[in-house]
Amino acid sequence: RQVDAEGGEWSSDGATMTLSLGHTPSTDFGMWYLETSREEGTEEEDAIRFLLEGSDDKEEWQTVGSSGAKRFYTTIFHTHAATRTPLERGAAHVLKAARGRDSHMFTV
């Protein structure tokens, strides 16, 4: 769920889902999450590798999140490694997109 997604429009094409916002978001996002299906026996359908991409024009896309990420100082590398999707049905799995406290480095 995105706070600024009210009035947004979802579309699907195979495994690709797109949320088109009708306006410019008021803030940057610091995290996002996926939620497992609530139905029992659906564990094999859970996402374990995925990308979250953003675009202002639906032409040029930039990776803004993925199932795996590593940080090196202020740079985030999206590794697309398998994530630890919870086995519990209906559970939320939070993935942070914001840089940690180490986003500024000072040397003396």
Side-chain angles (χ1 to χ4, degrees):
R1 293 179 198 154
Q2 159 56 295
V3 174
D4 291 315
E6 292 181 22
E9 183 178 312
W10 283 101
S11 62
S12 296
D13 182 15
T16 300
M17 296 174 60
T18 304
L19 171 61
S20 298
L21 303 176
H23 60 282
T24 301
S26 59
T27 59
D28 291 339
F29 69 95
M31 69 177 65
W32 57 288
Y33 73 94
L34 61 91
E35 188 175 285
T36 60
S37 174
R38 296 182 187 278
E39 296 178 38
E40 293 299 324
T42 57
E43 291 83 0
E44 290 185 10
E45 299 173 13
D46 290 344
I48 58 167
R49 280 193 172 85
F50 45 84
L51 292 174
L52 177 64
E53 296 179 316
S55 174
D56 291 328
D57 58 10
K58 291 190 188 177
E59 296 293 324
E60 294 184 37
W61 293 86
Q62 178 180 357
T63 301
V64 295
S66 75
S67 53
K70 298 286 184 192
R71 289 174 175 75
F72 182 73
Y73 296 101
T74 61
T75 304
I76 299 173
F77 297 95
H78 298 284
T79 63
H80 316 303
T83 190
R84 296 181 184 161
T85 304
L87 293 176
E88 178 186 350
R89 301 296 79 206
H93 180 47
V94 176
L95 298 125
K96 294 180 181 177
R99 295 182 181 125
R101 295 182 195 175
D102 61 342
S103 63
H104 299 286
M105 301 270 315
F106 299 97
T107 46
V108 180

